[in-house]
Amino acid sequence: MNPNQTNQERYAAGIDTLQTMVGEQGLQVMSRISEFFPDFGHTLVAFGFGDLYARGVLDLKQREIITITSLITQGAMEQLPFHLHAALNVGLLPEEILETILHCGGYAGFPKACGALEAARKVFAERGITLADRQAASRD
């Protein structure tokens, strides 16, 4: 976060980052939140995406791995599909997402990992990602 940025500049940076991560679908989610509770929507965009996700050092793929891991360990499955889509959009491979979920099983417990696996299955299906084809191609 740049301490010299105005609140509006932080918000604009957050919108740019959000657009990169999840495109129009993410902006629609933020719009619904902002319509219901504008202060929350502004804070979520300015702080979450403008201050945290827009920082340097870690790239968006690394930040999404951290976010997915955190959501799994909290059992926050309702937020997971949003971030699974974002992870794919910023270049995480489906296999990397599955490996993250598997790794969380050892630390957060397999019930939470199973919930995350189901969320990933649904997101992959929505996007037409079939792992059997990908696994067969990687063996060739």
Side-chain angles (χ1 to χ4, degrees):
M1 180 179 122
N2 178 349
N4 298 321
Q5 277 187 315
T6 66
N7 213 13
Q8 196 55 38
E9 289 170 333
R10 292 171 53 237
Y11 183 84
I15 289 293
D16 288 346
T17 302
L18 188 60
Q19 179 75 37
T20 298
M21 292 173 63
V22 288
E24 218 31 61
Q25 181 184 14
L27 295 176
Q28 290 171 5
V29 170
M30 288 303 141
S31 178
R32 285 194 302 271
I33 290 170
S34 292
E35 286 172 14
F36 182 69
F37 189 13
D39 289 347
F40 188 88
H42 181 86
T43 301
L44 183 58
V45 171
F47 176 70
F49 295 95
D51 291 347
L52 293 179
Y53 275 94
R55 291 178 60 86
V57 182
L58 300 177
D59 63 26
L60 291 176
K61 287 172 58 174
Q62 293 167 316
R63 290 183 188 283
E64 278 303 324
I65 290 171
I66 293 165
T67 301
I68 290 167
T69 300
S70 181
L71 292 172
I72 292 169
T73 60
Q74 294 176 66
M77 298 304 155
E78 68 281 354
Q79 291 292 309
L80 199 53
F82 180 92
H83 285 282
L84 292 172
H85 281 291
L88 291 165
N89 290 346
V90 299
L92 225 57
L93 298 174
E95 296 84 359
E96 292 171 317
I97 290 171
L98 293 176
E99 194 65 29
T100 300
I101 293 169
L102 176 62
H103 195 82
C104 284
Y107 287 89
F110 283 98
K112 288 178 180 173
C114 286
L117 192 60
E118 179 60 15
R121 186 193 65 75
K122 288 178 182 176
V123 166
F124 292 177
E126 286 173 26
R127 294 174 75 117
I129 297 170
T130 55
L131 295 173
D133 295 340
R134 294 175 68 89
Q135 290 167 347
S138 71
R139 285 192 295 264
D140 294 339

PDB file of all heavy atoms in Angstrom, residues 64 67-72 76-87 97 101 112-113 115-120 123:
ATOM      1  N   GLU A  64      -3.364 -16.149  -4.672  1.00  0.00           N
ATOM      2  CA  GLU A  64      -4.547 -17.016  -4.734  1.00  0.00           C
ATOM      3  C   GLU A  64      -4.301 -18.352  -4.039  1.00  0.00           C
ATOM      4  O   GLU A  64      -5.209 -18.895  -3.418  1.00  0.00           O
ATOM      5  CB  GLU A  64      -5.023 -17.215  -6.173  1.00  0.00           C
ATOM      6  CG  GLU A  64      -5.886 -16.075  -6.677  1.00  0.00           C
ATOM      7  CD  GLU A  64      -7.123 -15.817  -5.825  1.00  0.00           C
ATOM      8  OE1 GLU A  64      -7.743 -16.759  -5.286  1.00  0.00           O
ATOM      9  OE2 GLU A  64      -7.489 -14.637  -5.703  1.00  0.00           O
ATOM     10  N   THR A  67      -4.842 -17.538  -0.501  1.00  0.00           N
ATOM     11  CA  THR A  67      -6.258 -17.313  -0.229  1.00  0.00           C
ATOM     12  C   THR A  67      -7.033 -18.623  -0.212  1.00  0.00           C
ATOM     13  O   THR A  67      -7.834 -18.867   0.703  1.00  0.00           O
ATOM     14  CB  THR A  67      -6.854 -16.344  -1.268  1.00  0.00           C
ATOM     15  OG1 THR A  67      -6.139 -15.113  -1.204  1.00  0.00           O
ATOM     16  CG2 THR A  67      -8.326 -16.089  -0.998  1.00  0.00           C
ATOM     17  N   ILE A  68      -6.808 -19.473  -1.195  1.00  0.00           N
ATOM     18  CA  ILE A  68      -7.499 -20.764  -1.246  1.00  0.00           C
ATOM     19  C   ILE A  68      -7.176 -21.576   0.008  1.00  0.00           C
ATOM     20  O   ILE A  68      -8.067 -22.158   0.632  1.00  0.00           O
ATOM     21  CB  ILE A  68      -7.129 -21.535  -2.536  1.00  0.00           C
ATOM     22  CG1 ILE A  68      -7.761 -20.840  -3.747  1.00  0.00           C
ATOM     23  CG2 ILE A  68      -7.550 -23.002  -2.445  1.00  0.00           C
ATOM     24  CD1 ILE A  68      -7.220 -21.327  -5.078  1.00  0.00           C
ATOM     25  N   THR A  69      -5.909 -21.604   0.383  1.00  0.00           N
ATOM     26  CA  THR A  69      -5.502 -22.330   1.583  1.00  0.00           C
ATOM     27  C   THR A  69      -6.193 -21.778   2.819  1.00  0.00           C
ATOM     28  O   THR A  69      -6.718 -22.525   3.652  1.00  0.00           O
ATOM     29  CB  THR A  69      -3.967 -22.253   1.753  1.00  0.00           C
ATOM     30  OG1 THR A  69      -3.362 -22.845   0.602  1.00  0.00           O
ATOM     31  CG2 THR A  69      -3.507 -22.965   3.006  1.00  0.00           C
ATOM     32  N   SER A  70      -6.222 -20.468   2.936  1.00  0.00           N
ATOM     33  CA  SER A  70      -6.859 -19.834   4.085  1.00  0.00           C
ATOM     34  C   SER A  70      -8.354 -20.139   4.138  1.00  0.00           C
ATOM     35  O   SER A  70      -8.901 -20.457   5.202  1.00  0.00           O
ATOM     36  CB  SER A  70      -6.625 -18.321   4.037  1.00  0.00           C
ATOM     37  OG  SER A  70      -7.213 -17.696   5.131  1.00  0.00           O
ATOM     38  N   LEU A  71      -9.016 -20.057   2.999  1.00  0.00           N
ATOM     39  CA  LEU A  71     -10.458 -20.352   2.960  1.00  0.00           C
ATOM     40  C   LEU A  71     -10.732 -21.801   3.346  1.00  0.00           C
ATOM     41  O   LEU A  71     -11.691 -22.088   4.074  1.00  0.00           O
ATOM     42  CB  LEU A  71     -11.023 -20.038   1.577  1.00  0.00           C
ATOM     43  CG  LEU A  71     -11.054 -18.559   1.195  1.00  0.00           C
ATOM     44  CD1 LEU A  71     -11.454 -18.404  -0.269  1.00  0.00           C
ATOM     45  CD2 LEU A  71     -11.987 -17.775   2.105  1.00  0.00           C
ATOM     46  N   ILE A  72      -9.898 -22.723   2.860  1.00  0.00           N
ATOM     47  CA  ILE A  72     -10.090 -24.136   3.208  1.00  0.00           C
ATOM     48  C   ILE A  72      -9.906 -24.334   4.703  1.00  0.00           C
ATOM     49  O   ILE A  72     -10.719 -24.992   5.356  1.00  0.00           O
ATOM     50  CB  ILE A  72      -9.133 -25.042   2.406  1.00  0.00           C
ATOM     51  CG1 ILE A  72      -9.508 -25.022   0.917  1.00  0.00           C
ATOM     52  CG2 ILE A  72      -9.163 -26.478   2.949  1.00  0.00           C
ATOM     53  CD1 ILE A  72      -8.469 -25.667   0.009  1.00  0.00           C
ATOM     54  N   ALA A  76     -14.455 -21.887   4.861  1.00  0.00           N
ATOM     55  CA  ALA A  76     -15.250 -20.834   4.210  1.00  0.00           C
ATOM     56  C   ALA A  76     -15.545 -21.217   2.757  1.00  0.00           C
ATOM     57  O   ALA A  76     -15.108 -20.556   1.816  1.00  0.00           O
ATOM     58  CB  ALA A  76     -14.517 -19.500   4.298  1.00  0.00           C
ATOM     59  N   MET A  77     -16.299 -22.289   2.592  1.00  0.00           N
ATOM     60  CA  MET A  77     -16.545 -22.839   1.262  1.00  0.00           C
ATOM     61  C   MET A  77     -17.396 -21.923   0.380  1.00  0.00           C
ATOM     62  O   MET A  77     -17.327 -22.012  -0.842  1.00  0.00           O
ATOM     63  CB  MET A  77     -17.208 -24.222   1.367  1.00  0.00           C
ATOM     64  CG  MET A  77     -16.363 -25.253   2.076  1.00  0.00           C
ATOM     65  SD  MET A  77     -14.739 -25.451   1.335  1.00  0.00           S
ATOM     66  CE  MET A  77     -13.804 -26.056   2.706  1.00  0.00           C
ATOM     67  N   GLU A  78     -18.174 -21.024   0.971  1.00  0.00           N
ATOM     68  CA  GLU A  78     -19.021 -20.138   0.159  1.00  0.00           C
ATOM     69  C   GLU A  78     -18.189 -19.136  -0.650  1.00  0.00           C
ATOM     70  O   GLU A  78     -18.615 -18.679  -1.700  1.00  0.00           O
ATOM     71  CB  GLU A  78     -20.064 -19.411   1.022  1.00  0.00           C
ATOM     72  CG  GLU A  78     -19.495 -18.392   1.992  1.00  0.00           C
ATOM     73  CD  GLU A  78     -18.902 -18.964   3.272  1.00  0.00           C
ATOM     74  OE1 GLU A  78     -19.013 -20.185   3.515  1.00  0.00           O
ATOM     75  OE2 GLU A  78     -18.307 -18.175   4.027  1.00  0.00           O
ATOM     76  N   GLN A  79     -16.992 -18.813  -0.196  1.00  0.00           N
ATOM     77  CA  GLN A  79     -16.107 -17.887  -0.912  1.00  0.00           C
ATOM     78  C   GLN A  79     -15.165 -18.613  -1.873  1.00  0.00           C
ATOM     79  O   GLN A  79     -14.553 -17.980  -2.733  1.00  0.00           O
ATOM     80  CB  GLN A  79     -15.262 -17.090   0.089  1.00  0.00           C
ATOM     81  CG  GLN A  79     -16.051 -16.117   0.907  1.00  0.00           C
ATOM     82  CD  GLN A  79     -16.591 -14.984   0.044  1.00  0.00           C
ATOM     83  OE1 GLN A  79     -15.850 -14.360  -0.698  1.00  0.00           O
ATOM     84  NE2 GLN A  79     -17.876 -14.735   0.132  1.00  0.00           N
ATOM     85  N   LEU A  80     -15.055 -19.906  -1.707  1.00  0.00           N
ATOM     86  CA  LEU A  80     -14.064 -20.663  -2.474  1.00  0.00           C
ATOM     87  C   LEU A  80     -14.282 -20.623  -3.990  1.00  0.00           C
ATOM     88  O   LEU A  80     -13.314 -20.406  -4.732  1.00  0.00           O
ATOM     89  CB  LEU A  80     -13.991 -22.098  -1.955  1.00  0.00           C
ATOM     90  CG  LEU A  80     -12.751 -22.891  -2.308  1.00  0.00           C
ATOM     91  CD1 LEU A  80     -11.465 -22.168  -1.940  1.00  0.00           C
ATOM     92  CD2 LEU A  80     -12.794 -24.244  -1.622  1.00  0.00           C
ATOM     93  N   PRO A  81     -15.497 -20.798  -4.509  1.00  0.00           N
ATOM     94  CA  PRO A  81     -15.651 -20.766  -5.973  1.00  0.00           C
ATOM     95  C   PRO A  81     -15.160 -19.459  -6.607  1.00  0.00           C
ATOM     96  O   PRO A  81     -14.512 -19.488  -7.657  1.00  0.00           O
ATOM     97  CB  PRO A  81     -17.159 -20.958  -6.177  1.00  0.00           C
ATOM     98  CG  PRO A  81     -17.593 -21.724  -4.972  1.00  0.00           C
ATOM     99  CD  PRO A  81     -16.748 -21.183  -3.852  1.00  0.00           C
ATOM    100  N   PHE A  82     -15.442 -18.332  -5.980  1.00  0.00           N
ATOM    101  CA  PHE A  82     -14.973 -17.035  -6.483  1.00  0.00           C
ATOM    102  C   PHE A  82     -13.464 -17.064  -6.650  1.00  0.00           C
ATOM    103  O   PHE A  82     -12.925 -16.656  -7.686  1.00  0.00           O
ATOM    104  CB  PHE A  82     -15.399 -15.938  -5.493  1.00  0.00           C
ATOM    105  CG  PHE A  82     -14.986 -14.547  -5.888  1.00  0.00           C
ATOM    106  CD1 PHE A  82     -15.841 -13.749  -6.628  1.00  0.00           C
ATOM    107  CD2 PHE A  82     -13.754 -14.026  -5.503  1.00  0.00           C
ATOM    108  CE1 PHE A  82     -15.472 -12.456  -6.989  1.00  0.00           C
ATOM    109  CE2 PHE A  82     -13.376 -12.748  -5.861  1.00  0.00           C
ATOM    110  CZ  PHE A  82     -14.239 -11.953  -6.604  1.00  0.00           C
ATOM    111  N   HIS A  83     -12.762 -17.569  -5.644  1.00  0.00           N
ATOM    112  CA  HIS A  83     -11.301 -17.565  -5.687  1.00  0.00           C
ATOM    113  C   HIS A  83     -10.737 -18.693  -6.542  1.00  0.00           C
ATOM    114  O   HIS A  83      -9.623 -18.569  -7.064  1.00  0.00           O
ATOM    115  CB  HIS A  83     -10.726 -17.554  -4.271  1.00  0.00           C
ATOM    116  CG  HIS A  83     -10.857 -16.201  -3.659  1.00  0.00           C
ATOM    117  ND1 HIS A  83     -10.011 -15.163  -3.974  1.00  0.00           N
ATOM    118  CD2 HIS A  83     -11.767 -15.706  -2.791  1.00  0.00           C
ATOM    119  CE1 HIS A  83     -10.381 -14.088  -3.310  1.00  0.00           C
ATOM    120  NE2 HIS A  83     -11.450 -14.385  -2.594  1.00  0.00           N
ATOM    121  N   LEU A  84     -11.473 -19.774  -6.710  1.00  0.00           N
ATOM    122  CA  LEU A  84     -11.025 -20.809  -7.650  1.00  0.00           C
ATOM    123  C   LEU A  84     -11.066 -20.268  -9.078  1.00  0.00           C
ATOM    124  O   LEU A  84     -10.132 -20.494  -9.864  1.00  0.00           O
ATOM    125  CB  LEU A  84     -11.878 -22.070  -7.514  1.00  0.00           C
ATOM    126  CG  LEU A  84     -11.709 -22.838  -6.206  1.00  0.00           C
ATOM    127  CD1 LEU A  84     -12.750 -23.949  -6.098  1.00  0.00           C
ATOM    128  CD2 LEU A  84     -10.301 -23.403  -6.071  1.00  0.00           C
ATOM    129  N   HIS A  85     -12.139 -19.545  -9.412  1.00  0.00           N
ATOM    130  CA  HIS A  85     -12.204 -18.907 -10.732  1.00  0.00           C
ATOM    131  C   HIS A  85     -11.059 -17.909 -10.888  1.00  0.00           C
ATOM    132  O   HIS A  85     -10.387 -17.876 -11.924  1.00  0.00           O
ATOM    133  CB  HIS A  85     -13.547 -18.188 -10.927  1.00  0.00           C
ATOM    134  CG  HIS A  85     -14.677 -19.086 -11.282  1.00  0.00           C
ATOM    135  ND1 HIS A  85     -14.768 -19.740 -12.497  1.00  0.00           N
ATOM    136  CD2 HIS A  85     -15.787 -19.434 -10.587  1.00  0.00           C
ATOM    137  CE1 HIS A  85     -15.877 -20.453 -12.535  1.00  0.00           C
ATOM    138  NE2 HIS A  85     -16.508 -20.291 -11.385  1.00  0.00           N
ATOM    139  N   ALA A  86     -10.834 -17.096  -9.860  1.00  0.00           N
ATOM    140  CA  ALA A  86      -9.755 -16.105  -9.917  1.00  0.00           C
ATOM    141  C   ALA A  86      -8.408 -16.795 -10.105  1.00  0.00           C
ATOM    142  O   ALA A  86      -7.578 -16.349 -10.905  1.00  0.00           O
ATOM    143  CB  ALA A  86      -9.749 -15.253  -8.655  1.00  0.00           C
ATOM    144  N   ALA A  87      -8.185 -17.883  -9.383  1.00  0.00           N
ATOM    145  CA  ALA A  87      -6.913 -18.613  -9.477  1.00  0.00           C
ATOM    146  C   ALA A  87      -6.683 -19.107 -10.904  1.00  0.00           C
ATOM    147  O   ALA A  87      -5.579 -18.970 -11.443  1.00  0.00           O
ATOM    148  CB  ALA A  87      -6.904 -19.779  -8.491  1.00  0.00           C
ATOM    149  N   ILE A  97      -4.243 -26.353  -8.214  1.00  0.00           N
ATOM    150  CA  ILE A  97      -5.354 -26.158  -7.276  1.00  0.00           C
ATOM    151  C   ILE A  97      -5.633 -27.452  -6.526  1.00  0.00           C
ATOM    152  O   ILE A  97      -5.784 -27.454  -5.301  1.00  0.00           O
ATOM    153  CB  ILE A  97      -6.610 -25.659  -8.026  1.00  0.00           C
ATOM    154  CG1 ILE A  97      -6.376 -24.223  -8.512  1.00  0.00           C
ATOM    155  CG2 ILE A  97      -7.856 -25.761  -7.136  1.00  0.00           C
ATOM    156  CD1 ILE A  97      -7.440 -23.696  -9.449  1.00  0.00           C
ATOM    157  N   ILE A 101      -5.381 -28.292  -2.481  1.00  0.00           N
ATOM    158  CA  ILE A 101      -6.470 -28.889  -1.699  1.00  0.00           C
ATOM    159  C   ILE A 101      -5.982 -30.143  -0.977  1.00  0.00           C
ATOM    160  O   ILE A 101      -6.238 -30.331   0.216  1.00  0.00           O
ATOM    161  CB  ILE A 101      -7.683 -29.195  -2.597  1.00  0.00           C
ATOM    162  CG1 ILE A 101      -8.313 -27.881  -3.100  1.00  0.00           C
ATOM    163  CG2 ILE A 101      -8.716 -30.044  -1.843  1.00  0.00           C
ATOM    164  CD1 ILE A 101      -9.356 -28.074  -4.197  1.00  0.00           C
ATOM    165  N   LYS A 112     -12.730 -30.720   5.431  1.00  0.00           N
ATOM    166  CA  LYS A 112     -12.617 -29.413   4.772  1.00  0.00           C
ATOM    167  C   LYS A 112     -12.046 -29.577   3.368  1.00  0.00           C
ATOM    168  O   LYS A 112     -12.489 -28.905   2.427  1.00  0.00           O
ATOM    169  CB  LYS A 112     -11.767 -28.460   5.606  1.00  0.00           C
ATOM    170  CG  LYS A 112     -12.479 -27.988   6.858  1.00  0.00           C
ATOM    171  CD  LYS A 112     -11.601 -27.084   7.682  1.00  0.00           C
ATOM    172  CE  LYS A 112     -12.358 -26.642   8.941  1.00  0.00           C
ATOM    173  NZ  LYS A 112     -11.500 -25.889   9.853  1.00  0.00           N
ATOM    174  N   ALA A 113     -11.066 -30.436   3.214  1.00  0.00           N
ATOM    175  CA  ALA A 113     -10.487 -30.670   1.893  1.00  0.00           C
ATOM    176  C   ALA A 113     -11.519 -31.282   0.944  1.00  0.00           C
ATOM    177  O   ALA A 113     -11.555 -30.932  -0.240  1.00  0.00           O
ATOM    178  CB  ALA A 113      -9.252 -31.559   2.004  1.00  0.00           C
ATOM    179  N   GLY A 115     -14.751 -30.763   1.064  1.00  0.00           N
ATOM    180  CA  GLY A 115     -15.627 -29.654   0.690  1.00  0.00           C
ATOM    181  C   GLY A 115     -14.993 -28.797  -0.392  1.00  0.00           C
ATOM    182  O   GLY A 115     -15.655 -28.376  -1.346  1.00  0.00           O
ATOM    183  N   ALA A 116     -13.710 -28.546  -0.263  1.00  0.00           N
ATOM    184  CA  ALA A 116     -12.989 -27.762  -1.266  1.00  0.00           C
ATOM    185  C   ALA A 116     -12.905 -28.516  -2.588  1.00  0.00           C
ATOM    186  O   ALA A 116     -13.028 -27.921  -3.665  1.00  0.00           O
ATOM    187  CB  ALA A 116     -11.592 -27.430  -0.759  1.00  0.00           C
ATOM    188  N   LEU A 117     -12.721 -29.819  -2.523  1.00  0.00           N
ATOM    189  CA  LEU A 117     -12.649 -30.634  -3.729  1.00  0.00           C
ATOM    190  C   LEU A 117     -13.971 -30.581  -4.492  1.00  0.00           C
ATOM    191  O   LEU A 117     -13.991 -30.478  -5.715  1.00  0.00           O
ATOM    192  CB  LEU A 117     -12.288 -32.075  -3.360  1.00  0.00           C
ATOM    193  CG  LEU A 117     -11.892 -32.984  -4.502  1.00  0.00           C
ATOM    194  CD1 LEU A 117     -10.662 -32.461  -5.228  1.00  0.00           C
ATOM    195  CD2 LEU A 117     -11.642 -34.385  -3.972  1.00  0.00           C
ATOM    196  N   GLU A 118     -15.067 -30.597  -3.770  1.00  0.00           N
ATOM    197  CA  GLU A 118     -16.386 -30.499  -4.406  1.00  0.00           C
ATOM    198  C   GLU A 118     -16.556 -29.127  -5.062  1.00  0.00           C
ATOM    199  O   GLU A 118     -17.078 -29.020  -6.174  1.00  0.00           O
ATOM    200  CB  GLU A 118     -17.502 -30.762  -3.399  1.00  0.00           C
ATOM    201  CG  GLU A 118     -18.897 -30.667  -3.972  1.00  0.00           C
ATOM    202  CD  GLU A 118     -19.192 -31.637  -5.107  1.00  0.00           C
ATOM    203  OE1 GLU A 118     -18.437 -32.613  -5.324  1.00  0.00           O
ATOM    204  OE2 GLU A 118     -20.205 -31.412  -5.817  1.00  0.00           O
ATOM    205  N   ALA A 119     -16.112 -28.081  -4.391  1.00  0.00           N
ATOM    206  CA  ALA A 119     -16.181 -26.739  -4.985  1.00  0.00           C
ATOM    207  C   ALA A 119     -15.333 -26.686  -6.260  1.00  0.00           C
ATOM    208  O   ALA A 119     -15.766 -26.132  -7.279  1.00  0.00           O
ATOM    209  CB  ALA A 119     -15.714 -25.683  -3.981  1.00  0.00           C
ATOM    210  N   ALA A 120     -14.147 -27.275  -6.218  1.00  0.00           N
ATOM    211  CA  ALA A 120     -13.281 -27.299  -7.396  1.00  0.00           C
ATOM    212  C   ALA A 120     -13.923 -28.103  -8.519  1.00  0.00           C
ATOM    213  O   ALA A 120     -13.872 -27.691  -9.693  1.00  0.00           O
ATOM    214  CB  ALA A 120     -11.915 -27.882  -7.039  1.00  0.00           C
ATOM    215  N   VAL A 123     -16.502 -25.857 -10.155  1.00  0.00           N
ATOM    216  CA  VAL A 123     -15.879 -24.773 -10.928  1.00  0.00           C
ATOM    217  C   VAL A 123     -15.250 -25.334 -12.199  1.00  0.00           C
ATOM    218  O   VAL A 123     -15.415 -24.774 -13.284  1.00  0.00           O
ATOM    219  CB  VAL A 123     -14.842 -24.009 -10.071  1.00  0.00           C
ATOM    220  CG1 VAL A 123     -13.946 -23.118 -10.933  1.00  0.00           C
ATOM    221  CG2 VAL A 123     -15.542 -23.189  -8.993  1.00  0.00           C
TER     222      VAL A 123
END
